[in-house]
Amino acid sequence: EPEVTQTPSHQVTQMGQEVILRCVPISNHLYFYWYRQILGQKVEFLVSFYNNEISEKSEIFDDQFSVERPDGSNFTLKIRSTKLEDSAMYFCASSVEPGELFFGEGSRLTVL
Amino acid sequence: SQQGEEDPQALSIQEGENATMNCSYKTSINNLQWYRQNSGRGLVHLILIRSNEREKHSGRLRVTLDTSKKSSSLLITASRAADTASYFCATDANDYKLSFGAGTTVTVRA
């Protein structure tokens, strides 16, 4: 069964460093998303991406965040200068159309 | 914010019993979805109910939606140990963003 894959599964970084989280969405999907979940808290929307551009972003998704679909298969989230409060599980998701989202297993980011 | 809020926060039941959890939200929606998350794992889509639907079934799952009360319920019948997980409702006001609630943690005791 097709699935969304994310790498790395866990990344530890120093505060101020840049981090790139990678996702391979399901191949025929057109909508792509990043969500995050701080330990013990709600799943929070970060950004959605459709037709090679950001379709919506949350207030969390400030200038230190960016997304890119560099080729036909990858979808990346870059955090330019990480902060302690960026420590969270980051989930990539994709969908054929708005509605049911397929989530990856997540990338755990720990900022020290 | 139109985020859904689940109730109860936690639920412990015996295997074979039914589990019911509720979700309330604040603004108009296109649809409401329920997701399951096993500890430390990704979210798995369970069921989507559209704003013009009142009830939907999928296997042992039954979802209701009352748009006049801005609430939904998820019923899991004949629970199994494998149903132990956190369950989240998610609402959307547009095509591009889901808002998740804090979730209900369900523990099914053998």
Side-chain angles (χ1 to χ4, degrees), chain A residues 4-50:
Chain A
V4 175
T5 57
Q6 291 186 240
T7 55
S9 57
H10 189 193
Q11 180 152 359
V12 181
T13 190
Q14 294 292 324
M15 190 169 54
Q17 295 296 304
E18 176 181 285
V19 160
I20 297 176
L21 305 178
R22 292 182 168 80
C23 170
V24 179
I26 295 173
S27 61
N28 64 330
H29 285 189
L30 302 175
Y31 295 78
F32 313 110
Y33 313 83
W34 284 100
Y35 287 78
R36 79 174 186 188
Q37 186 178 32
I38 295 171
L39 187 64
Q41 297 187 25
K42 294 181 180 183
V43 175
E44 301 174 293
F45 169 79
L46 291 178
V47 66
S48 57
F49 193 87
Y50 170 70

Side-chain angles (χ1 to χ4, degrees), chain B residues 17-85:
Chain B
E17 292 181 339
N18 296 342
T20 300
M21 59 211 86
N22 303 296
C23 169
S24 60
Y25 57 93
K26 295 178 181 176
T27 62
S28 297
I29 58 171
N30 294 326
N31 61 62
L32 185 144
Q33 304 180 46
W34 286 89
Y35 286 81
R36 184 187 73 226
Q37 185 181 36
N38 290 82
S39 181
R41 306 291 301 275
L43 292 100
V44 175
H45 181 267
L46 295 176
I47 199 164
L48 180 152
I49 186 165
R50 302 198 184 281
S51 59
N52 61 353
E53 296 176 309
R54 291 296 166 259
E55 187 170 315
K56 203 161 182 179
H57 296 253
S58 176
R60 293 183 297 113
L61 305 180
R62 173 179 168 252
V63 168
T64 63
L65 179 64
D66 186 336
T67 53
S68 67
K69 295 181 179 177
K70 293 187 169 58
S71 67
S72 173
S73 68
L74 170 67
L75 167 67
I76 305 172
T77 60
S79 63
R80 305 167 182 168
D83 295 328
T84 294

Side-chain angles (χ1 to χ4, degrees), chain B residues 85-98:
Chain B
S86 293
Y87 293 82
F88 298 88
C89 68
T91 55
D92 70 341
N94 62 45
D95 287 344
Y96 303 112
K97 171 184 175 181
L98 287 182

